[in-house]
Amino acid sequence: MQTIPHPSGFYFFERGWLSSNNILLVDDEKATLIDTGYVTHTDQTLALVQSHLSGRPLDKIINTHLHSDHCGGNAKLQAVYPEAQIWIPPGHFDAVVQWNDDLLTYKATGQQCPRFVPHHILQPGSTFESDRFTWEVHAAPGHDTHSVILFEPQHRVLISADALWSNGFGVVFPELEGLDAFSEVASTLDLIQTLDAHMVYPGHGSAFIDVSDAIVRARSRLDQFVRHPEKHQTYASKVLLKFKLMEFQSLPLTDFLEWAMQTPYFQLMHHQKDGDISTWVLSMVQQLVASGAARIDGAVINNL
């Protein structure tokens, strides 16, 4: 966890995978939590929030986007704080209300997210107040079509979600679905450069001030993916495999391979590849092992 004095009432909770980072904004009137982590970490998320609220209620939950590692704690927090209003970006509001697994990404990624009830749409172009500071909501498509980033112009603080990390950005999931989203990543990086933030709080990893250097690194990574889309697919497949392995820590290798073969994003990525899907998935698992991210002991795969 890291705190900064300005804007006042700003608390940054740097989380380890599987959860996204969380940010708590507290003033005399309201307390707002930005992103809630993954479902398996909900007890830790709740403890972090309660330790800073000192018995006060949580009034608002804002999700920068609806990936499971950013909103997996919504349901738990909603149960503990039933008056808390949940704000989500436009695009999938109705899908969340109806809990349509065909439109949401939880089935596609093979991840978990308990059902929650949203209350309001977080519209790009709008603002919200916290302790007399105004936060701007900006559309940030690319990693997720409907993602937003949040910017406080007085102190030039940016909450970048997965649009910009210190060393890159998140998997460009729309590309896995055959959509042209690399151009949207570039446009979002252009926007971030225009905002000229002095401090960035990303969705994963530590906060950073070398924003220009981070943008250069992100553009370099994007250029590599544009020139070699297969590298992005390899990266995405290993991210999804590692995420699931971190969730279970240890499981029979056959079960792990079967999970991957039944997961829609793996099926999409394999669609235009030669050979059968089992051979390809096994090759991705072997790359995880070779990189030291996993270990196979007999018939069991273990997270490292």
Side-chain angles (χ1 to χ4, degrees), residues 27 35 37 53 56 95 107 116 137 147 171 198 211 217 235 242 249 258 273 275-276 284 301:
D27 60 26
D35 288 336
L53 290 183
R56 288 181 50 183
K107 181 178 179 181
F116 62 90
V137 181
S147 184
V171 170
H198 293 173
V211 185
R217 290 189 290 270
Y235 167 61
K242 179 65 173 178
Q249 290 298 313
E258 183 64 23
K273 298 182 183 298
D276 62 85
M284 293 296 100
I301 185 167

Side-chain angles (χ1 to χ4, degrees), residues 284-297:
M284 293 296 100
V285 171
Q286 290 170 336
Q287 288 190 36
L288 280 185
V289 172
S291 68
R295 184 183 67 243
I296 296 176
D297 297 318

Side-chain angles (χ1 to χ4, degrees), residues 38-54:
Y38 194 59
V39 60
T40 56
H41 293 176
T42 51
D43 288 344
Q44 184 184 55
T45 302
L46 179 61
L48 286 168
V49 171
Q50 289 180 329
S51 69
H52 286 78
L53 290 183
S54 302

Side-chain angles (χ1 to χ4, degrees), residues 38-150:
Y38 194 59
V39 60
T40 56
H41 293 176
T42 51
D43 288 344
Q44 184 184 55
T45 302
L46 179 61
L48 286 168
V49 171
Q50 289 180 329
S51 69
H52 286 78
L53 290 183
S54 302
R56 288 181 50 183
L58 180 66
D59 301 281
K60 181 186 291 187
I61 295 169
I62 288 176
N63 294 129
T64 58
H65 58 294
L66 295 177
H67 287 165
S68 62
D69 55 328
H70 288 256
C71 63
N74 283 17
K76 175 75 170 184
L77 288 163
Q78 194 165 56
V80 175
Y81 300 105
E83 300 302 314
Q85 300 288 294
I86 296 182
W87 294 68
I88 65 175
H92 282 157
F93 188 90
D94 290 341
V96 176
V97 170
Q98 299 165 11
W99 210 251
N100 187 330
D101 281 338
D102 290 330
L103 293 178
L104 300 173
T105 62
Y106 316 127
K107 181 178 179 181
T109 57
Q111 296 170 8
Q112 303 180 63
C113 184
R115 184 171 185 169
F116 62 90
V117 178
H119 301 95
H120 304 284
I121 295 175
L122 187 69
Q123 288 286 3
S126 66
T127 61
F128 65 90
E129 304 292 323
S130 178
D131 198 24
R132 302 179 305 281
F133 299 110
T134 300
W135 290 87
E136 302 171 351
V137 181
H138 295 270
H143 167 70
D144 177 80
T145 302
H146 309 294
S147 184
V148 299
I149 56 177
L150 308 173

Side-chain angles (χ1 to χ4, degrees), residues 119-274:
H119 301 95
H120 304 284
I121 295 175
L122 187 69
Q123 288 286 3
S126 66
T127 61
F128 65 90
E129 304 292 323
S130 178
D131 198 24
R132 302 179 305 281
F133 299 110
T134 300
W135 290 87
E136 302 171 351
V137 181
H138 295 270
H143 167 70
D144 177 80
T145 302
H146 309 294
S147 184
V148 299
I149 56 177
L150 308 173
F151 183 62
E152 194 284 292
Q154 182 171 336
H155 296 95
R156 313 204 72 79
V157 173
L158 176 67
I159 299 172
S160 65
D162 293 344
L164 179 67
W165 301 340
S166 179
N167 193 30
F169 46 84
V171 170
V172 187
F173 283 99
E175 282 283 337
L176 306 185
E177 300 171 12
L179 302 177
D180 179 14
F182 287 147
S183 60
E184 293 184 332
V185 174
S187 296
T188 294
L189 292 175
D190 290 342
L191 167 65
I192 292 173
Q193 190 164 20
T194 300
L195 292 175
D196 189 27
H198 293 173
M199 174 70 79
V200 174
Y201 291 88
H204 300 276
S206 300
F208 56 92
I209 60 174
D210 57 334
V211 185
S212 296
D213 290 344
I215 292 174
V216 169
R217 290 189 290 270
R219 290 193 191 279
S220 176
R221 187 172 183 82
L222 176 61
D223 181 62
Q224 184 182 57
F225 288 156
V226 169
R227 288 185 289 110
H228 304 285
E230 71 280 2
K231 291 187 177 181
H232 177 256
Q233 284 200 352
T234 297
Y235 167 61
S237 64
K238 290 193 290 188
V239 165
L240 290 171
L241 288 168
K242 179 65 173 178
F243 193 99
K244 181 57 64 172
L245 192 55
M246 285 191 291
E247 182 176 353
F248 284 97
Q249 290 298 313
S250 179
L251 71 164
L253 178 59
T254 55
D255 291 352
F256 190 47
L257 296 175
E258 183 64 23
W259 165 83
M261 289 186 289
Q262 296 301 317
T263 298
Y265 271 144
F266 284 97
Q267 295 170 350
L268 283 172
M269 287 186 283
H270 176 261
H271 182 66
Q272 295 181 336
K273 298 182 183 298
D274 295 329

